Amino acid sequence: MTTVDDLKRRVADLLAAYPPESTPRQDFLDARFDAGLAWIHFPEGLGGLDAPRSLQSVVDKELAAAGAPDNDKRRIGIGLGMAAPTILAFGTPEQHQRFLRPLWTEREVWCQLFSEPGAGSDLAALGTRAVRDGDDWVVTGQKVWTSGAHKSQWAILVTRTDPDVPKHRGMTYFLCDMTAPGVEVRPLRQITGEAEFNEVFLSEVRIPDAHRLGAVGEGWKVAQTTLMNERVAIGGTEFPRDGGMVGVVTEVWRERPELRTSELHDKLLKLWVEGESLRLVSSRLRQQLAAGAPGPEGSAVKVAFSELNQAASGLEIELLGDEGLRYDDWTMRRPDGVNFLGREAGYRYLRAKGNSIEGGTSEVLRNIIAERVLGLPSEPRIDKDVAWKDLPR
Amino acid sequence: MSDLLYSEVEEDLRASVRDLFKDRAEPAALIARTETAEPYDLELWRTLAADLGTAGLAVPEALGGHGASAREVAVVMEELGRSVAPVPYLGSAVLATSALLATDTSQAEVTERLGKLAAGTLIGALAVPLSTAPGAEFPSAVTAAADGTLSGQVRSVVDASVAELLVVPAVGPDGPGLYTVDVSSAGVTVTEAISLDLTRRIADVTLENVVAKHVADSSVATSALDTALVTAAGLLASEQLGIAEWALTETVRYLKERYQFGRQVGSFQSLKHRLANLYTDLVNARATARYAADCLASGDDIAIAVAVAQARNSPIAVHAAEEAIQLHGGIGMTWEHPAHLYLKRAKSDEIALGTPGRHRAALAPLIDLPA
Ligand SMILES: Cc1cc2nc3c(=O)[nH]c(=O)nc-3n(C[C@H](O)[C@H](O)[C@H](O)COP(=O)(O)OP(=O)(O)OC[C@H]3O[C@@H](n4cnc5c(N)ncnc54)[C@H](O)[C@@H]3O)c2cc1C
């Protein structure tokens, strides 16, 4: 059993062997991974110590206090939040060894090739084909809205391997090399002016069978793990009181007394209260997770998080008045990650609109809450027993 | 870091309180009782307060209580919200008890009264209007004469109809003070009001030259009163959580049973989404209520935690009860269905111990967001 003292000793040993002031960032991250202090609940040898997840904060705090570098979660969010837990759950020992270390140390950035022009909320309708050819699979199709594809070396990919069975049963999950021949990434400009996401064209891309994750035909089950983790990754994010998007507005309020009105004051206080309660919900979610009993709250938190971000960024523009009429920069760019706080109010307002669409729309999440959490009857299903190839589209 | 989950001890406590209410406070009986001469169920109160020991949870063992904390009281409050059982828990075990606990408890009068309140053998009430918010000015409705007798009138005192002991804030020649008064004393009149909340009553208390015991003066009286109000407001958030939880559970159950247009009503997406929204609210209400209870137990961050919990949970409980009525259709509008008991409790709770707007206004200076 790993104890707090044990962890502190390990951190002290790491800091002694690799003093942050004199160790290059990448070397420090490698050493931290090898010491089992990357994600302590992961197995030994894979960056962890098989320790309770609740103790991760001990490590993070000690390292932060010592000024040690950390990986950039904004840049590797999809890898950390979605690819890693899925690879851990379904990967072979070889896949664990090959992928987890460069993922965590930020040497390899990941993206998520799930959505397609014809399959968004109904992910299981996807049509990107993978056909077996010897030791390889040959993949052809089009993906869309792929965040960060332009800076990624690897992707988690769901494909159709059997069009003759109902949609949920004919899918297979792969780890796809984004530098392989046949992968083409084209920027897709979004309402903010920049291109954070992309279209990805896959033309006869060869993926070795060794990069298949889970059994053939089991892709939906594997994808479920990814999606569940995606919601927890969004909802369980730690932020301080008066932080996040609400913090941005409160800062304007404090610094610009001339903008204050009583109507906006009450709106602001309501939002602050919602922000504080969301902070507590996500902290409760993490405590449940650490206690080994992840609740079904993840979906609810994601819905609440989106609404709060949208309301707060909307209020910021309203508060700014004249200045809210201006935008910082429409230049088409391909950013490394989402940086709400680094840009201005108009950007925040527009980007926050994506919060209720990315990672499952609020409507779909409400269906999930109603059906899986509250046990309400599902909509009449017309696609359940129909082979994928015969579905109306 | 505060603990936002429930401990095993708390879950056990919840189970026994819930069992009790299930057996002895089922909805049809509650509704029938509201129209009798005995709207409170004092038999049930004795079992809850004395036998299960819930009246003295937050009272130290040395004073006859169980030495637990606000976290455990909050669990009882959640169950009270879920059952709207007609017992004077808020007035006696929370308001009157917290007020006396915050005075000098070594005084014989206080020690004795607290012991009985904690044992559940004495019912107390705090003589302030139930709408009083924490931080309100010290009430001057009752005045203390130079000889120590009290006179004045206080309206809308929760649970006063069944109280035997009143804890009275009054202003005397030396300023604010806190007094204890036996309801049986000469000069005390308690007039039951017709309450919006059928299962938690309010009454007007009139005092005419009533003999009282002085238990706290000026600064202690002011802070003891505020402690009682803050504690009660923070715990009320747990009751509001319980109300919302009942409303959601019952509505989900009903919408699975009810058929219209050849299918279960609960399979219509427009309704499913409304219930999913209630669930999202509930998740929020639980986190803020747990945090408030934990802060009251630890003494940290109380003011902000309580204001947040009240500002958030009051509207959530009201909305959940309103949705329960709407989604039960015609049945929801009937006297026979218990939904109205919850709406009445939720709406009264919204006003009790400070409205959400009052709590937001109280929050503003605490979080440096001035008007
Ligand atoms: C900023 C951003 C980043 C993204 N990044 C990625 C990424 O990295 N990788 C990736 O794979 N995908 C990504 N996506 C795609 C995202 O997952 C999809 O957009 C999303 O799942 C919705 O699918 P859709 O766009 O096809 O909408 P549709 O499914 O066509 O939905 C249209 C509308 O109908 C509603 N709707 C659909 N089905 C139902 C239903 N059953 N009940 C009620 N309403 C319904 C939806 O809520 C929506 O309002 C990203 C999207 C955004 C906005």
Side-chain angles (χ1 to χ4, degrees):
Chain A
M1 198 40 206
T2 316
T3 64
V4 171
D5 288 341
D6 194 18
L7 282 176
K8 288 190 175 169
R9 186 181 46 73
R10 284 170 189 270
V11 172
D13 290 350
L14 173 70
L15 290 168
Y18 299 88
E21 346 35 279
S22 54
T23 311
R25 178 166 180 276
Q26 274 295 341
D27 295 353
F28 189 89
L29 293 178
D30 288 343
R32 178 174 167 185
F33 187 93
D34 296 336
L37 297 170
W39 31 32
I40 61 165
H41 61 289
F42 269 51
E44 285 185 47
L46 298 178
L49 298 165
D50 275 316
R53 193 173 180 151
S54 53
L55 297 180
Q56 182 70 42
S57 61
V58 175
V59 173
D60 294 346
K61 279 197 191 103
E62 295 274 308
L63 286 174
D70 200 354
N71 54 17
D72 180 354
K73 297 187 169 62
R74 271 194 297 122
R75 212 162 90 77
I76 61 168
I78 291 177
L80 272 185
M82 297 152 229
T86 317
I87 293 171
L88 183 66
F90 289 94
T92 60
E94 292 74 31
Q95 289 170 338
H96 290 160
Q97 288 300 335
R98 165 63 189 86
F99 292 111
L100 292 173
R101 192 173 186 267
L103 185 159
W104 192 89
T105 58
E106 221 177 288
R107 288 177 194 276
E108 288 172 354
V109 175
W110 287 68
C111 65
Q112 183 181 11
L113 292 174
F114 279 25
S115 304
E116 297 183 4
S121 299
D122 187 8
L123 175 62
L126 61 83
T128 291
R129 285 279 282 151
V131 179
R132 183 87 194 222
D133 179 27
D135 281 345
D136 288 346
W137 292 82
V138 180
V139 179
T140 299
Q142 188 196 337
K143 297 286 178 177
V144 73
W145 305 305
T146 316
S147 304
H150 53 283
K151 49 153 202 198
S152 299
Q153 285 78 44
W154 287 90
I156 42 180
L157 165 71
V158 210
T159 64
R160 177 137 328 262
T161 41
D162 186 351
D164 298 321
V165 294
K167 60 182 182 182
H168 290 96
R169 287 195 257 132
M171 289 185 278
T172 304
Y173 198 115
F174 293 98
L175 306 176
C176 172
D177 182 350
M178 291 297 284
T179 62
V183 178
E184 191 200 338
V185 177
R186 291 190 204 151
L188 190 56
R189 203 172 182 200
Q190 62 199 39
I191 63 176
T192 55
E194 65 184 10
E196 169 194 327
F197 51 30
N198 306 268
E199 293 180 295
V200 178
F201 295 85
L202 305 164
S203 320
E204 301 193 358
V205 178
R206 296 191 82 85
I207 300 183
D209 189 55
H211 291 168
R212 169 167 50 80
L213 198 61
V216 174
E218 296 274 286
W220 182 245
K221 198 171 113 198
V222 185
Q224 284 301 104
T225 299
T226 309
L227 297 178
M228 227 178 55
N229 278 290
E230 179 166 20
R231 293 191 279 269
V232 174
I234 298 176
T237 314
E238 194 165 357
F239 58 94
R241 169 177 284 172
D242 202 24
M245 200 72 102
V246 170
V248 175
V249 196
T250 54
E251 202 178 307
V252 179
W253 184 270
R254 291 187 188 113
E255 283 170 6
R256 308 277 303 272
E258 75 280 7
L259 300 173
R260 298 175 192 165
T261 70
S262 60
E263 178 214 358
L264 291 175
H265 191 227
D266 200 50
K267 269 196 192 176
L268 177 67
L269 290 169
K270 274 189 184 142
L271 279 183
W272 196 93
V273 167
E274 275 175 38
E276 171 70 358
S277 102
L278 195 64
R279 179 183 78 84
L280 295 168
V281 175
S282 76
S283 142
R284 199 165 184 273
L285 191 68
R286 284 193 308 280
Q287 290 181 7
Q288 280 175 304
L289 216 60
E297 279 92 343
S299 299
V301 180
K302 205 248 170 200
V303 171
F305 165 85
S306 308
E307 287 183 355
L308 180 66
N309 265 5
Q310 292 173 354
S313 57
L315 182 64
E316 187 189 0
I317 294 210
E318 205 182 331
L319 181 59
L320 287 173
D322 266 1
E323 282 166 56
L325 297 172
R326 298 164 183 270
Y327 193 73
D328 59 355
D329 183 3
W330 291 115
T331 313
M332 149 84 172
R333 284 184 282 191
R334 303 181 83 186
D336 242 17
V338 188
N339 183 8
F340 278 120
L341 308 187
R343 289 191 59 179
E344 289 183 3
Y347 172 82
R348 279 189 272 282
Y349 174 72
L350 295 173
R351 180 58 185 83
K353 293 290 166 265
N355 291 155
S356 51
I357 301 171
E358 61 196 334
T361 68
S362 294
E363 289 75 23
V364 165
L365 293 180
R366 287 189 180 102
N367 286 346
I368 291 175
I369 294 169
E371 291 171 20
R372 296 201 212 137
V373 182
L374 303 178
L376 287 159
S378 51
E379 297 282 308
R381 293 287 295 267
I382 53 158
D383 58 352
K384 231 172 115 200
D385 300 314
V386 183
W388 175 83
K389 65 176 171 26
D390 300 327
L391 285 173
R393 57 172 67 82
Chain B
M1 182 59 212
S2 48
D3 176 5
L4 302 174
L5 307 181
Y6 299 99
S7 69
E8 257 173 64
V9 176
E10 287 161 15
E11 290 295 4
D12 290 348
L13 171 67
R14 177 201 303 290
S16 41
V17 174
R18 193 181 290 188
D19 278 355
L20 174 68
F21 289 157
K22 208 168 137 225
D23 290 348
R24 307 251 303 266
E26 59 86 29
L30 290 191
I31 294 169
R33 178 180 285 280
T34 60
E35 291 177 300
T36 66
E38 273 186 61
Y40 279 92
D41 185 346
L42 296 182
E43 280 295 312
L44 177 62
W45 162 255
R46 270 184 282 278
T47 313
L48 173 74
D51 303 352
L52 292 188
T54 61
L57 281 172
V59 177
E61 285 174 69
L63 293 167
H66 291 276
S69 75
R71 289 179 58 94
E72 288 78 12
V73 181
V75 169
V76 177
M77 290 293 286
E78 272 183 40
E79 294 308 310
L80 270 176
R82 206 192 309 262
S83 83
V84 292
V87 289
Y89 196 85
L90 179 66
S92 188
V94 177
L95 280 163
T97 303
S98 309
L100 286 185
L101 263 181
T103 65
D104 172 6
T105 54
S106 67
Q107 306 171 81
E109 168 70 9
V110 175
T111 316
E112 194 217 318
R113 301 300 193 140
L114 266 179
K116 289 184 180 162
L117 285 171
T121 53
L122 177 73
I123 298 176
L126 179 64
V128 294
L130 179 57
S131 56
T132 313
E137 233 176 276
F138 196 86
S140 54
V142 179
T143 50
D147 66 355
T149 61
L150 305 184
S151 299
Q153 199 197 33
V154 189
R155 287 169 61 82
S156 308
V157 178
V158 71
D159 295 337
S161 355
V162 288
E164 298 145 312
L165 172 78
L166 295 174
V167 179
V168 186
V171 180
D174 303 325
L178 216 52
Y179 300 79
T180 52
V181 166
D182 279 309
V183 173
S184 59
S185 308
V188 180
T189 320
V190 175
T191 313
E192 170 102 41
I194 300 177
S195 305
L196 174 66
D197 185 349
L198 292 169
T199 53
R200 174 179 284 150
R201 304 284 172 127
I202 51 174
D204 300 336
V205 173
T206 309
L207 307 172
E208 278 176 84
N209 303 318
V210 176
V211 177
K213 289 233 164 66
H214 179 253
V215 294
D217 54 21
S218 140
S219 67
V220 176
T222 311
S223 74
L225 177 63
D226 206 52
T227 300
L229 294 171
V230 170
T231 305
L235 291 168
L236 196 67
S238 287
E239 176 170 291
Q240 289 160 330
L241 164 64
I243 295 170
E245 194 148 25
W246 178 89
L248 176 62
T249 311
E250 281 307 300
T251 309
V252 166
R253 195 167 63 80
Y254 182 69
L255 293 186
K256 282 195 225 174
E257 279 167 11
R258 179 83 175 161
Y259 277 75
Q260 296 290 345
F261 302 97
R263 56 195 262 211
Q264 285 157 289
V265 174
S267 69
F268 288 103
Q269 195 181 59
S270 66
L271 304 195
K272 282 156 78 171
H273 283 195
R274 282 163 72 169
L275 293 171
N277 287 342
L278 289 185
Y279 174 79
T280 303
D281 281 350
L282 195 72
V283 164
N284 277 278
R286 176 166 286 114
T288 61
R290 275 281 89 188
Y291 185 62
D294 196 68
C295 290
L296 286 168
S298 68
D300 296 335
D301 202 30
I302 292 176
I304 290 181
V306 169
V308 165
Q310 272 300 303
R312 190 91 172 109
N313 292 15
S314 292
I316 284 177
V318 172
H319 179 62
E322 287 173 348
E323 287 286 83
I325 291 191
Q326 174 67 22
L327 298 181
H328 275 78
I331 287 174
M333 201 59 200
T334 63
W335 187 264
E336 279 77 10
H337 195 279
H340 66 99
L341 297 180
Y342 290 83
L343 178 67
K344 291 163 187 173
R345 173 65 61 86
K347 198 65 192 170
S348 305
D349 277 2
E350 189 183 41
I351 296 159
L353 302 160
T355 59
R358 286 288 295 259
H359 284 283
R360 282 195 295 273
L363 201 52
L366 299 175
I367 57 175
D368 185 25
L369 291 178

